[in-house]
């Protein structure tokens, strides 16, 4: 496929031109979102009978496997032509009150049972002097980033 050169957009002459561009962007985005929402709703509606059928098939397979559980006494899985079914022993820890459990683990000295995630606090690091930032292998980068915001409420009033 040949490379296409993209020409710059229309040259704007006034703030009113900029405002009209923002309105057009807002309409385009609203139209896109409306189309996406319609497609999602239609596909969800179309998928519902299939999901219900799948759930019914899964329950029928589970019921049959449980009725024939004796076949799984020596093996965990049953290899079939189109898949594998089986039973696995699952163990999970149930915590009723997280805060109390955490405190009890701390009181008992079971810190190895507590997860702590270490990460750099970039907001706090912004306050450090440049020398300190450089010493820890970091630096500050400042950019003057352009941005815009479409006022969707105003578009709704005009439309």
């Amino acid at each position: 496929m040949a490379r296409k050169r993209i020409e710059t957009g229309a040259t704007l002459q006034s703030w009113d031109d900029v405002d009209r561009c923002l309105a057009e962007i807002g309409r385009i985005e609203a139209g896109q979102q409306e189309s996406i929402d319609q497609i999602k709703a239609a596909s969800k509606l179309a998928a519902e009978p299939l999901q219900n059928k799948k759930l019914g098939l899964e329950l029928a397979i589970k019921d049959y496997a449980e009725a024939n559980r004796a076949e799984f006494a020596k093996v965990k899985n049953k290899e079939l032509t189109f898949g594998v079914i089986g039973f696995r022993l699952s163990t999970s820890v149930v915590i009723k009150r997280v805060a109390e459990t955490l405190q009890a683990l701390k009181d008992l000295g079971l810190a190895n049972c507590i997860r702590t995630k270490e990460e750099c606090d970039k907001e706090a690091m912004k306050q450090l002097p440049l020398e300190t930032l450089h010493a820890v292998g970091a630096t500050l980068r400042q950019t003057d980033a352009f941005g815009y915001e479409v006022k969707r409420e105003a578009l709704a009033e005009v439309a």
Side-chain angles (χ1 to χ4, degrees):
M1 197 163 158
R3 180 181 275 194
K4 292 184 180 181
R5 184 173 180 185
I6 299 174
E7 299 296 324
T8 59
T11 305
L12 303 179
Q13 303 296 322
S14 68
W15 288 114
D16 287 337
D17 291 347
V18 173
D19 205 29
R20 281 191 285 279
C21 287
L22 288 171
E24 188 172 348
I25 289 170
R27 285 188 205 98
I28 290 169
E29 289 177 347
Q32 285 176 325
Q33 192 58 52
E34 188 176 319
S35 296
I36 290 168
D37 292 344
Q38 289 173 354
I39 291 168
K40 282 183 179 179
S43 62
K44 182 178 180 181
L45 194 61
E48 194 172 324
L50 297 172
Q51 291 295 333
N52 290 337
K53 184 175 183 178
K54 177 184 167 198
L55 182 60
L57 293 170
E58 288 170 343
L59 289 173
I61 290 170
K62 181 179 179 235
D63 290 346
Y64 186 82
E66 286 178 347
N68 294 280
R69 185 100 187 217
E71 292 185 36
F72 295 95
K74 295 184 180 178
V75 293
K76 293 181 179 181
N77 297 322
K78 178 131 181 103
E79 189 88 28
L80 301 169
T81 306
F82 297 107
V84 180
I85 63 167
F87 290 95
R88 291 276 184 260
L89 184 60
S90 175
T91 305
S92 63
V93 175
V94 179
I95 299 172
K96 294 181 182 176
R97 294 180 189 94
V98 175
E100 291 176 14
T101 302
L102 275 171
Q103 189 58 50
L105 288 169
K106 289 176 186 175
D107 293 345
L108 294 172
L110 298 172
N112 63 319
C113 296
I114 301 172
R115 279 193 205 144
T116 51
K117 181 180 177 183
E118 286 188 20
E119 60 184 355
C120 299
D121 185 349
K122 292 181 180 179
E123 290 302 313
M125 291 176 69
K126 286 180 185 177
Q127 308 305 316
L128 295 174
L130 280 176
E131 299 81 29
T132 307
L133 280 174
H134 292 291
V136 298
T139 186
L140 288 178
R141 181 184 339 163
Q142 293 181 331
T143 58
D144 194 12
F146 173 77
Y148 68 88
E149 182 178 334
V150 176
K151 294 181 181 176
R152 299 192 193 292
E153 308 82 34
L155 278 173
E157 291 172 9
V158 174

